[in-house]
Amino acid sequence: MVKSFPKSSKVVVIGGGVAGCSVAYHLAKFGWKDTILLERDQLTSGTTWHAAGLIGQLGATATITKLREYSLNLYKELERKTELSTGLKQNGAITIATSKERLQELLRQATSAQLFDINVKVLDKQQIKNLYPVINDKDILGGVYMPEDGQADPVGVTNVLAKAARMEGVQIFEKTPVVKILIKNNRITGVETSEGKIECEYVVLATGMWSRQIGQDIGVSVPLYPNEHFYIITESIKNLPKNLPVLRDYNDCLYLKEDAGKMLVGIFEPGAKNAFKEKGIVPNDFSFGEFPDDFDHFEPYLEKSFNRLPLLENTGIRKFFSGPESFTPDTQYLLGETAEVSNLFTCCGFNSIGIASSGGAGRVTAEWMINGYMNEDLYSLDIKRFQKFHSSKKFIMNRVTETLGNLYGMHWPYKQHKTSRDQKLLPYHEELKKAGACFGQSGEYERPMWYAINGAKPEYDYSFNYQNWYPSVEHECKNTIKNVGLFELSPFAKYEIKGEKAYEELQKLCTANIKNEIGKCTYTHMLNEGAGIEGDLTTVCIDKNHFRIISSAAVRTHDKAHILKHLSKHTEFKDVTDDLICLGIFGPKSRELLSKITNENLSNENFKFATSKNVRFGSIDIWAQRLSYVGELGYELYIPKENAKEIYNMIVDTGKQFDLSHCGAHTMDTMRMESGFLHWGHDISPEENQYQAGLSFTISYKKNIDFIGKEKLLKIKNQKLDKRFVMIVLKENIPGMPLLLNEEPIYLENKIIGKTTSGNYSFNYNKNLSFGYINSEFSNEQLCHKDIYIEIEKKKYLSQLLLKPLKKSRFKDI
């Protein structure tokens, strides 16, 4: 019986690979039975069919580890439910380390995995040899073993998900390409297919390497592009041990798996090759497609595989494979609602780990759509972490030649990309360079991270221990509290809203009672309907019915999308990020310095904390705000771009009298932690509410407008907290210890009670400082007298809870 083609549905999922089938299954399972999946050709015909099929739970971040763990459990469950085979073989996986730094990285990942009760074993060389007897272990220092990991058949996994989706009511149509996505007033209305039109409320782009092109056609930025991905399959190998674990040798860019008496050898190499480079377009009819052999490119890594598994050297090659896999600018997925079109969601950009990830990615995509928000910290995977320029061909084709290799490269803390740099330079970029700036990419901008001193090179020397920029940051931190520091803040996201309803709508967006008086600033949060923190920002009343909103650089697209989603057509919105340069002048001598440049009375009586005004520097009007993210007296100066270089030079020249130092982003991050200030994306996210984060002072229940999330927040208000924010210092406090970063388990004696979210070494207080969340029956005061530990690289460090920030801030009243 031929099923009739539908005219409407709630959701259309485009793409019949493993990701699309997972989204469709979860949508139907969670209640949206009216879901259709459309595949232009056959299921798996894009990228899924040629995936290596590795199922690994351990990811570079805790978020990815969590999604991979779910995927493994899902595939086992659905095998039983559908009575089909995924080809899942849990023969374990070993990742080896041939350098001290790689072993540190693996130990950190294994430490974080404990937060999810994942079975990870740390192995020495002999234990690796016992599990993998054919390995050459001469240079191996150790590794980690995941007994429940293994491999699966990508086509089998997809068919299991597809059958499970059908069992839940999903309709799947193959040989049905989508010709056009239909949009009205920036909202999904339907799709036009080869078989006719389907009206729908939601569309999911699970279209893999085609996603960037599809998005471009409708004005949506989807930053990914395919590279050529290589592997070989050997002839049968006599006496090859059966059920060998999957082997990953990151330092040699290799993965190896045994498959029915043969070996598959694949690579994730630096300097990858773009696919379809000549035209920069993936052909619509590229189904079950392969590229010609490029043995010259693969050969160096084949030689490395011979060294790791000597039995390969005399084994023939049965199949040389090269096919396309899409990669993103940072090797993280692209999930969530797009900024440009409401109800258009993405589930793509899996960077060659789609089989291991798609079960969990499909789940969170479905939950995101059904709830309208997420109460998990998924910002590292949210498509809105990127800006428009990230999907331009010039940027993305260059960047992904680096990110493919980064998949197996060292995941260094503070690592900076080398490709697609210098997208946007500050007007005084050359001056910052001469001052010794080491730049990092912040959004589109090149922003100073630290400034080299004493003849050092302004270049990172990456490490999990002592950082080569520590002397610079020590100087910058200490000089800021003694004299004055100049901080570059221009990448901060800046938006302006105007109109008779602007104040009313801002009150609805924000939890605090926004000050509606010209020059007054308000620190506040935006929530989703589940009371998760969606934004951390400052609002400023610029004029009557005119407000400026300021948030961090990394969330420019995300926060803009959230604001516009809840803003009416009656209120004018403008992104002014690139129109205004912002300099931070912080430190006890900041007032004295600026008073030399302006005739404005900057005394505390005349210019109080959390106020702002127009201040004249020479003949130039500048909007100055008396705020400080570093816990010192200070001012943020918002300067018209065309005047920025002149003002910068004016400040630097005058600053010589006051021992002004240039200060980078590392110093700001260190000093904000000393002051107890939280950072969105690390310490707060949609996974936390303001009570958990200790930020209830930003909530106003008295204002006469119900803000978004208020209903849920009122229910939470009187409930016992399931976790709470804490500040912790290590008892051992030397700069050369393993870095405190994030996602490290926090222990009360021998029990995990939480995890860290931020870490830094405080040079002003000589403390290894960490922020995090715990769940304990004991109060913070009681925990101050108990043995608290933070685990780093599988070693527990005795720590102490802080009841108040290291820094006693007096900057408000001086």
Side-chain angles (χ1 to χ4, degrees):
M1 179 179 174
V2 179
K3 55 179 140 180
S4 60
F5 195 72
K7 301 294 184 185
S8 65
S9 71
K10 189 171 188 69
V11 187
V12 169
V13 178
I14 308 175
V18 64
C21 290
S22 178
V23 174
Y25 163 73
H26 284 95
L27 283 169
K29 181 188 177 186
F30 297 156
W32 283 12
K33 305 293 184 184
D34 190 10
T35 295
I36 292 170
L37 185 147
L38 301 177
E39 163 56 42
R40 65 187 174 85
D41 196 341
Q42 294 174 247
L43 297 184
T44 78
S45 63
T47 299
T48 299
W49 73 274
H50 64 71
L54 306 186
I55 303 292
Q57 299 168 86
L58 194 61
T61 67
T63 300
I64 290 178
T65 297
K66 185 177 178 181
L67 296 185
R68 288 192 187 184
E69 180 194 24
Y70 175 87
S71 298
L72 173 62
N73 293 329
L74 174 71
Y75 300 157
K76 292 194 289 185
E77 173 195 332
L78 293 186
E79 270 194 327
R80 295 188 293 269
K81 183 176 181 179
T82 63
E83 297 181 336
L84 294 178
S85 173
T86 62
L88 180 63
K89 187 167 72 168
Q90 288 180 274
N91 48 322
I94 298 172
T95 303
I96 62 170
T98 56
S99 67
K100 175 191 170 186
E101 295 79 10
R102 182 67 73 180
L103 188 57
Q104 284 185 280
E105 179 182 19
L106 295 181
L107 291 175
R108 283 179 178 266
Q109 292 177 6
T111 302
S112 296
Q114 295 170 152
L115 297 168
F116 307 107
D117 294 320
I118 293 175
N119 186 8
V120 186
K121 300 180 186 297
V122 178
L123 304 181
D124 60 26
K125 179 189 289 196
Q126 186 56 53
Q127 290 169 315
I128 292 170
K129 186 71 171 179
N130 292 341
L131 283 167
Y132 212 103
V134 295
I135 197 170
N136 170 13
D137 64 348
K138 286 183 180 178
D139 58 344
I140 294 175
L141 301 181
V144 295
Y145 175 50
M146 312 281 288
E148 278 80 51
D149 280 7
Q151 53 193 284
D153 170 26
V155 175
V157 171
T158 307
N159 287 336
V160 164
L161 285 165
K163 182 174 180 180
R166 289 187 181 103
M167 290 168 69
E168 294 287 350
V170 174
Q171 296 184 72
I172 296 178
F173 295 88
E174 297 180 276
K175 300 289 183 182
T176 311
V178 172
V179 178
K180 189 177 182 181
I181 297 173
L182 305 176
I183 300 164
K184 185 176 181 181
N185 297 326
N186 296 322
R187 180 176 290 273
I188 290 293
T189 60
V191 295
E192 189 74 49
T193 80
S194 59
E195 302 298 317
K197 180 181 174 183
I198 303 175
E199 293 181 352
C200 62
E201 298 177 48
Y202 294 84
V203 165
V204 181
L205 285 182
T207 44
M209 59 183 169
W210 287 273
S211 301
R212 191 194 68 83
Q213 295 162 207
I214 294 170
Q216 187 177 42
D217 288 344
I218 54 174
V220 171
S221 176
V222 185
L224 56 73
Y225 192 83
N227 288 325
E228 294 189 31
H229 180 53
F230 302 88
Y231 62 73
I232 61 148
I233 300 172
T234 71
E235 300 285 0
S236 293
I237 302 175
K238 189 177 181 181
N239 300 323
L240 182 70
K242 302 297 181 187
N243 295 318
L244 279 174
V246 171
L247 179 64
R248 294 180 178 88
D249 179 354
Y250 289 159
N251 283 8
D252 281 341
C253 312
L254 298 171
Y255 63 89
L256 306 100
K257 75 166 186 174
E258 182 273 330
D259 188 4
K262 302 179 286 293
M263 290 295 297
L264 182 149
V265 181
I267 62 172
F268 289 103
E269 77 283 10
K273 290 180 63 180
N274 285 147
F276 314 107
K277 186 173 182 177
E278 189 175 332
K279 294 184 178 179
I281 296 172
V282 184
N284 289 330
D285 59 354
F286 194 83
S287 297
F288 300 107
E290 299 183 38
F291 298 133
D293 295 353
D294 186 348
F295 196 74
D296 289 342
H297 186 85
F298 189 81
E299 187 176 21
Y301 304 97
L302 186 61
E303 292 288 340
K304 292 181 179 184
S305 76
F306 295 164
N307 175 64
R308 187 58 58 211
L309 294 188
L311 57 78
L312 293 176
E313 191 162 6
N314 297 314
T315 303
I317 297 175
R318 180 182 179 185
K319 170 72 175 175
F320 185 106
F321 177 81
S322 174
E325 294 262 12
S326 60
F327 289 80
T328 65
D330 59 0
T331 66
Q332 304 275 45
Y333 322 155
L334 301 176
L335 307 181
E337 189 176 23
T338 65
E340 299 90 346
V341 177
S342 296
N343 293 356
L344 175 63
F345 282 74
T346 57
C347 187
C348 54
F350 289 104
N351 303 282
S352 208
I353 50 174
I355 306 302
S357 308
S358 287
R363 172 185 67 82
V364 296
T365 300
E367 290 174 343
W368 210 327
M369 294 170 70
I370 291 169
N371 296 331
Y373 57 87
M374 278 304 296
N375 279 136
E376 291 183 52
D377 182 7
L378 294 173
Y379 183 67
S380 63
L381 309 178
D382 188 344
I383 189 171
K384 292 186 290 295
R385 70 189 183 275
F386 291 118
Q387 297 175 27
K388 203 81 171 176
F389 76 93
H390 284 108
S391 63
S392 71
K393 279 187 186 180
K394 183 180 179 182
F395 178 93
I396 193 65
M397 291 179 71
N398 190 22
R399 172 58 60 83
V400 298
T401 62
E402 178 183 7
T403 56
L404 181 146
N406 281 348
L407 200 64
Y408 276 15
M410 289 294 299
H411 297 96
W412 293 114
Y414 318 114
K415 185 176 181 179
Q416 301 294 323
H417 288 104
K418 296 179 179 179
T419 53
S420 298
R421 294 295 296 268
D422 293 348
Q423 298 293 307
K424 185 163 287 184
L425 303 181
L426 294 160
Y428 38 83
H429 176 82
E430 289 302 317
E431 283 75 9
L432 297 179
K433 200 172 178 180
K434 289 174 186 174
C438 177
F439 293 96
Q441 199 167 42
S442 178
E444 202 170 357
Y445 287 85
E446 292 293 322
R447 181 185 185 186
M449 303 300 293
W450 52 282
Y451 290 83
I453 57 173
N454 301 326
K457 286 185 177 181
E459 298 172 2
Y460 279 98
D461 182 10
Y462 295 117
S463 172
F464 286 109
N465 297 87
Y466 186 89
Q467 300 292 290
N468 72 314
W469 43 264
Y470 273 6
S472 293
V473 172
E474 180 174 11
H475 167 69
E476 292 168 20
C477 286
K478 289 182 175 179
N479 193 67
T480 299
I481 65 170
K482 182 183 178 182
N483 297 304
V484 59
L486 171 63
F487 292 78
E488 171 47 55
L489 309 178
S490 300
F492 278 11
K494 303 174 279 289
Y495 324 104
E496 293 190 0
I497 61 172
K498 296 180 182 179
E500 290 186 7
K501 297 280 186 179
Y503 177 67
E504 182 181 321
E505 297 196 24
L506 197 55
Q507 287 280 63
K508 183 181 177 182
L509 272 167
C510 301
T511 61
N513 190 16
I514 304 302
K515 298 180 181 71
N516 191 16
E517 182 181 337
I518 295 172
K520 291 294 179 73
C521 308
T522 310
Y523 173 60
T524 185
H525 297 100
M526 300 186 294
L527 307 183
N528 58 40
E529 288 80 357
I533 302 173
E534 287 285 350
D536 178 66
L537 44 92
T538 299
T539 67
V540 187
C541 183
I542 300 290
D543 205 343
K544 184 179 180 181
N545 300 325
H546 180 186
F547 296 85
R548 184 176 294 155
I549 299 169
I550 304 152
S551 62
S552 67
V555 296
R556 181 175 177 181
T557 304
H558 171 275
D559 283 9
K560 184 193 304 186
H562 184 80
I563 294 166
L564 288 172
K565 185 176 182 179
H566 298 285
L567 215 58
S568 75
K569 295 178 182 178
H570 305 293
T571 299
E572 178 188 338
F573 174 92
K574 186 180 181 183
D575 184 339
V576 296
T577 303
D578 298 332
D579 300 334
L580 296 170
I581 293 299
C582 184
L583 292 171
I585 315 297
F586 303 128
K589 295 182 180 178
S590 57
R591 178 183 287 135
E592 197 177 351
L593 189 162
L594 293 180
S595 294
K596 288 276 188 179
I597 302 174
T598 179
N599 293 323
E600 182 74 28
N601 181 356
L602 302 180
S603 67
N604 187 53
E605 294 73 24
N606 193 58
F607 199 164
K608 293 188 178 299
F609 178 76
T611 65
S612 53
K613 61 174 74 175
N614 268 313
V615 175
R616 200 162 183 83
F617 282 28
S619 60
I620 302 166
D621 281 333
I622 290 171
W623 186 264
Q625 296 175 180
R626 191 176 154 199
L627 296 171
S628 175
Y629 194 44
V630 301
E632 289 290 330
L633 170 69
Y635 306 83
E636 295 174 359
L637 307 179
Y638 291 83
I639 309 162
K641 191 174 180 179
E642 60 271 19
N643 304 123
K645 190 171 180 178
E646 180 182 349
I647 297 297
Y648 166 84
N649 286 328
M650 201 182 292
I651 291 168
V652 172
D653 289 344
T654 308
K656 292 173 184 176
Q657 305 170 44
F658 303 96
D659 294 317
L660 175 81
S661 61
H662 284 77
C663 300
H666 286 308
T667 294
M668 173 165 281
D669 193 49
T670 300
M671 294 188 73
R672 67 95 184 169
M673 289 188 68
E674 292 172 345
S675 302
F677 298 154
L678 282 67
H679 181 263
W680 196 94
H682 285 100
D683 312 308
I684 47 177
S685 73
E687 196 165 303
E688 288 79 38
N689 61 61
Q690 291 152 295
Y691 290 107
Q692 293 168 329
L695 296 169
S696 58
F697 66 90
T698 65
I699 305 169
S700 172
Y701 292 118
K702 294 180 179 179
K703 61 182 183 178
N704 59 6
I705 294 175
D706 288 343
F707 57 82
I708 297 160
K710 179 180 179 180
E711 184 179 347
K712 181 68 174 180
L713 207 57
L714 282 168
K715 293 177 182 177
I716 294 169
K717 182 181 178 182
N718 298 316
Q719 293 177 359
K720 183 181 178 182
L721 293 177
D722 59 348
K723 66 177 183 180
R724 63 183 185 270
F725 175 78
V726 291
M727 297 173 284
I728 301 175
V729 292
L730 300 191
K731 288 287 185 73
E732 300 176 62
N733 287 300
I734 55 173
M737 291 178 62
L739 292 183
L740 280 169
L741 296 169
N742 52 61
E743 297 176 349
E744 297 117 350
I746 302 171
Y747 286 79
L748 172 57
E749 296 171 349
N750 292 315
K751 181 185 177 184
I752 293 176
I753 60 169
K755 67 174 182 177
T756 63
T757 55
S758 289
N760 261 310
Y761 187 81
S762 165
F763 292 100
N764 286 327
Y765 298 91
N766 296 319
K767 299 286 186 184
N768 281 293
L769 174 62
S770 187
F771 287 177
Y773 287 86
I774 62 169
N775 182 7
S776 175
E777 61 196 45
F778 298 106
S779 68
N780 286 2
E781 288 77 9
Q782 290 172 317
L783 288 172
C784 285
H785 304 289
K786 294 185 179 292
D787 288 342
I788 300 291
Y789 298 89
I790 295 177
E791 187 175 8
I792 313 167
E793 296 172 17
K794 299 297 286 183
K795 180 181 177 181
K796 296 185 181 71
Y797 291 85
L798 188 61
S799 307
Q800 182 175 4
L801 215 66
L802 296 177
L803 297 179
K804 56 185 180 180
L806 291 174
K807 183 179 182 63
K808 183 180 179 182
S809 298
R810 300 184 303 108
F811 60 91
K812 296 182 181 181
D813 304 313
I814 57 175

